[in-house]
């Protein structure tokens, strides 16, 4: 009888231990699931914020491109040759410099003619002679109409000795004749401030890329530290 009572007591104790362990296990599992969901939500919020900040920066560049193109509409010319001569003016240069100052993420603005020659550049007046006809943004705008902004592949600038990306628009007559290309250059690292928020998410990573997969900037947060490591190109 005492043996039977002891046996039942042991079984009851074991059952209680198993129940307690199961309760603890469920609690840990639930906490783990909650942590995963919180991390997922946090990552979603940061991604939404990053997209908004970068989108605002790009829209600002587009707006300035529109403003300069509108200014060029006031230039009087009959053909591409006339345009090249008419656009090379201190007035156009000053307008470009003033508009560029509104874009902290931008570092240069250039108008090139139909032959690829740089006509006016915000880097200085008068503009240094150089040909941009072999750049992907020039070739794309020369061969395509549509008025959309083209974002170049990463380009290593011989002028500044840094990698740059260019936002470019086609310049044309109302009849569609190609006159040249207007570009705004910026360094991908200028977007790094927008990506700094991922430092709060251990192991997180973000990229700045073109829709065809061309990567301009990679940023990742090392686990257990807020230090950001960036990798361009």
């Amino acid at each position: 009888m005492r043996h039977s009572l002891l046996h039942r007591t042991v079984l009851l104790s074991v059952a209680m231990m198993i129940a307690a362990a199961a309760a603890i296990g469920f609690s840990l599992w639930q906490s783990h699931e909650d942590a995963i969901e919180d991390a997922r939500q946090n990552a979603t919020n940061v991604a939404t914020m990053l997209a908004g900040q970068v989108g605002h920066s790009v829209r600002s560049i587009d707006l300035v491109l529109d403003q300069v193109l509108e200014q060029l509409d006031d230039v009087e010319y009959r053909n591409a040759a006339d345009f090249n001569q008419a656009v090379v003016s201190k007035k156009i240069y000053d307008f470009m410099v003033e508009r560029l100052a509104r874009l902290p993420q931008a570092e240069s603005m250039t108008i090139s003619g139909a032959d690829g020659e740089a006509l006016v550049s915000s880097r200085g007046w008068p503009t240094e002679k150089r040909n941009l006809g072999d750049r992907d943004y020039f070739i794309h705008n020369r061969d395509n109409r549509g008025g959309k902004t083209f974002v170049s592949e990463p380009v290593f600038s011989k002028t500044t000795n840094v990698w740059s990306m260019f936002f470019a628009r086609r310049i044309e007559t109302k009849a569609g004749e190609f006159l040249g290309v207007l570009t705004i250059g910026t360094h991908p690292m200028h977007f790094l401030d927008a990506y700094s928020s991922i430092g709060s998410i251990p192991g997180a990573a973000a990229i700045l890329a073109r829709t065809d997969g061309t990567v301009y900037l990679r940023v990742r947060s090392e686990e257990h530290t807020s230090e950001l490591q960036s990798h361009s190109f």
Side-chain angles (χ1 to χ4, degrees):
M1 182 71 176
R2 292 177 62 184
H3 177 74
S4 177
L5 179 61
L6 177 62
H7 180 69
R8 288 197 299 271
T9 302
V10 170
L11 287 178
L12 180 60
S13 298
V14 171
M16 291 177 64
M17 290 174 63
I18 292 174
I24 293 173
F26 176 77
S27 178
L28 291 174
W29 175 81
Q30 187 63 47
S31 297
H32 178 66
E33 289 295 304
D34 290 344
I36 291 176
E37 181 57 32
D38 288 345
R40 183 183 294 115
Q41 187 60 50
N42 191 19
T44 299
N45 292 340
V46 170
T48 301
M49 181 186 67
L50 287 177
Q53 290 177 348
V54 173
H56 175 73
S57 182
V58 172
R59 286 192 295 273
S60 298
I61 292 174
D62 254 350
L63 177 61
V64 171
L65 287 171
D66 283 337
Q67 292 171 343
V68 176
L69 288 174
E70 289 176 2
Q71 183 74 8
L72 294 180
D73 285 341
D74 295 334
V75 175
E76 296 183 3
Y77 57 87
R78 291 173 298 179
N79 50 43
D82 280 353
F83 175 80
N84 285 5
Q85 294 181 1
V87 79
V88 180
S89 71
K90 189 64 163 51
K91 178 182 177 181
I92 295 294
Y93 167 78
D94 289 340
F95 184 81
M96 289 168 58
V97 170
E98 188 272 329
R99 286 299 187 272
L100 190 68
R102 303 182 181 187
L103 299 174
Q105 71 273 35
E107 57 189 18
S108 67
M109 187 187 305
T110 303
I111 297 172
S112 54
D115 57 359
E117 287 295 320
L119 301 175
V120 186
S121 172
S122 63
R123 297 190 186 279
W125 178 263
T127 297
E128 180 183 352
K129 295 288 184 181
R130 57 195 178 107
N131 194 288
L132 306 172
D134 61 341
R135 302 296 177 89
D136 68 329
Y137 57 77
F138 182 89
I139 295 172
H140 174 87
N141 281 287
R142 182 195 63 196
D143 299 341
N144 296 275
R145 298 189 63 193
K148 294 182 178 180
T149 300
F150 177 81
V151 185
S152 75
E153 292 185 353
V155 177
F156 186 77
S157 173
K158 297 179 180 179
T159 303
T160 61
N161 292 320
V162 296
W163 288 95
S164 298
M165 55 192 289
F166 293 88
F167 295 79
R169 289 272 196 91
R170 175 185 171 102
I171 306 172
E172 63 180 21
T173 65
K174 293 181 180 179
E177 179 187 2
F178 177 63
L179 297 175
V181 177
L182 170 65
T183 61
I184 291 179
T186 184
H187 191 286
M189 291 297 289
H190 286 303
F191 294 95
L192 186 59
D193 286 343
Y195 283 74
S196 61
S197 54
I198 72 168
S200 62
I201 307 176
I207 64 171
L208 177 65
R210 202 165 63 177
T211 53
D212 64 358
T214 301
V215 176
Y216 299 103
L217 180 68
R218 292 185 182 92
V219 182
R220 63 190 179 91
S221 173
E222 289 297 312
E223 193 169 1
H224 307 307
T225 178
S226 61
E227 179 183 359
L228 293 176
Q229 294 187 358
S230 60
H231 307 275
S232 297
F233 324 123

